[in-house]
Each structure stands twice: as structure tokens, then as C-alpha cells.
Amino acid sequence: MKQKTIGLALSGGGNRGAIHLGVLHAFDINKIKIDAISGTSAGAIVGSLYCAGYSAIDLKSILESQTMGKMLHFSLKKTSIANMNGLRKILENHIASNSYDVLTKKLYVCASNMDDAKSEIFSTGDLFTHVCASSCIPIIFEPIIMDNKHYIDGGLFNNLPVDPLIGKYDTIIGIHVNNYKITGDYSIKTIANHIFSTVIKENVKRNIPKCDFFINPELKEPYATFSKKNVNLLFDIGYKVGMEFLIKNSFI
């Protein structure tokens, strides 16, 4: 009997992307083969490296080895406080070539086109630029320009990019890492976080019914987007829910 194919849709979520790694580790150790990943932001970064052949444990080590300076690459401008050169360097150092052709699994990358106010999916061409565009959090990072269009974080319009997987893979599993409540005083930072978080969560809702399965761990707090101190905790959360998912749904 032919084995069913599996496509994963991985949400964005900054540092919470370590949850994706934990889920993937549960899949890895139980030899659950993933055929394709469609990712936004952190999901696109994890997806690109996982599809390049790295295991979830490999990716956790890569994440832990990076400093904030390397990842953020501060460059103060009117439009931003940092650029994507740090992320691009990480991709260059760990993926053999700037091409989807070198990947061992199919990858779809979602980014937001600011000029046309829509999300776009990329699966061929300039891999590194597409992943950087997908991860380009507005205001923090300078927009990525492609074909005279300005691109930013894919989560703005589509934080769970399921559509590229529909009709191509037998089973679609969505993994969302932003199931948290924002608490605290109503400072400018808290209000900004709440607005962006709400927009992202709302655009995820429309894609949940398109998934055959949806993994959505409830988090006790948001966990800082760029902090590495919770990587192990978030990885463990992902591994736990990943194992529970596989057992509950008879994958193992």
C-alpha cells in the first residue's frame, strides 16, 4: 500500500518557532516522513533548513549557537532598526545553494506584498531572499524589495499558509505557535504587540478548517520574540504536544 503523503503548514511566531522544532523532533524519532512544508516567518526559516536535510535536533543546535547580534544585524534607518543580513548569512552558511532545487523536500514560503496588500507564495527561485522576506517583521526589519515591490512578514496576511498544500498531499497538518494571551499594563509596546498578535490570529482562523489536523498548544505567556532563553522550554512544549498528537491520531 502506498504511504500517505504529509504536508505541514508552519506558522510564524519568532522565538516560539522552537515549538515547531519540538514537534518535528517527535516526528523524526518516530520516523514520520514529511513530504512538504509551507511556512511563514519562523515557519519558513524552520522549513527551509528542515527541507535542506537538517533534523530538528540539528536545528535546535543551530538556533542556540546564534547571538542576537548575528540574527538581528542592527542598522538604524527611518523605516527600521535592523535588516535581514544576519538571517541571510545563517541560511548561506547552512544551505548548499540559494535554490529550492537543493532541498530534499518541497518547500513553500509565504511573504506579504505591502504594495498590493496580499500574501504571496514562493516555491522556486531566490530561496534566501524569499525566506528573509517572509521573516521581515515590520518596523523592526527593513522591507525586502523584489521586482520593485516591498515585502514583509508573511504573518501579516497569512500566518498559516495551507493553500499550497491542498490537493497535493494526502494529509495536511497545521502547527500554530501563537496561542497565548497578552497581559500586562497598556504601554505602547503592549498595545502594539496586542494589535499585531490579533491580526495574525484572525487570519489563521480562516485556514484551520482546511487542515486535516491542527496542532495549537496553549501557552502560558507570549515568550519574547527574539529571546533565546526559552528555547529549551518551547522545544519541550513542542515535543510533548507532538508526541500526544501522534499517539492520539494513531500515527504511531
Side-chain angles (χ1 to χ4, degrees), residues 54-246:
Y54 292 94
S55 70
I57 287 294
D58 292 333
L59 297 185
K60 180 170 174 284
S61 295
I62 291 171
L63 176 60
E64 290 175 325
S65 71
Q66 305 303 316
T67 65
M68 285 299 107
K70 286 181 180 178
M71 289 192 284
L72 289 178
H73 206 272
F74 291 101
S75 177
L76 187 61
K77 292 187 176 182
K78 289 195 297 184
T79 57
S80 61
I81 61 173
N83 60 46
M84 302 304 297
N85 292 347
L87 173 58
R88 189 179 186 94
K89 194 69 175 176
I90 293 170
L91 297 173
E92 290 172 349
N93 288 340
H94 293 93
I95 299 179
S97 177
N98 183 18
S99 170
Y100 289 79
D101 295 337
V102 302
L103 304 180
T104 60
K105 306 175 189 295
K106 186 64 179 176
L107 176 69
Y108 304 90
V109 175
C110 178
S112 296
N113 180 331
M114 288 178 63
D115 299 286
D116 297 333
K118 65 179 184 178
S119 66
E120 294 184 17
I121 301 292
F122 301 95
S123 60
T124 61
D126 190 343
L127 171 63
F128 298 161
T129 299
H130 295 162
V131 174
C132 287
S134 178
S135 311
C136 193
I137 299 173
I139 301 175
I140 294 177
F141 292 110
E142 184 180 0
I144 300 292
I145 299 176
M146 298 186 287
D147 297 326
N148 295 316
K149 301 283 187 179
H150 296 76
Y151 288 84
I152 58 173
D153 196 298
L156 182 64
F157 297 127
N158 189 358
N159 202 38
L160 191 72
V162 176
D163 287 347
L165 305 173
I166 296 173
K168 298 174 185 174
Y169 305 94
D170 299 315
T171 302
I172 298 174
I173 303 171
I175 306 176
H176 180 239
V177 298
N178 301 297
N179 184 11
Y180 60 85
K181 293 182 179 180
I182 293 180
T183 58
D185 62 343
Y186 275 79
S187 64
I188 292 175
K189 180 181 178 182
T190 301
I191 292 171
N193 284 341
H194 187 65
I195 291 171
F196 193 61
S197 172
T198 300
V199 168
I200 288 174
K201 289 177 182 177
E202 285 302 309
N203 76 49
V204 165
K205 288 181 181 178
R206 68 173 182 262
N207 284 336
I208 296 174
K210 301 176 185 178
C211 299
D212 297 298
F213 300 98
F214 183 57
I215 298 174
N216 187 36
E218 184 175 349
L219 304 177
K220 294 181 179 179
E221 60 177 281
Y223 299 102
T225 298
F226 296 110
S227 173
K228 294 199 308 176
K229 68 179 182 179
N230 292 310
V231 167
N232 287 309
L233 171 62
L234 293 165
F235 182 91
D236 290 344
I237 290 172
Y239 177 70
K240 181 175 183 290
V241 298
M243 288 298 298
E244 290 173 349
F245 166 79
L246 293 175

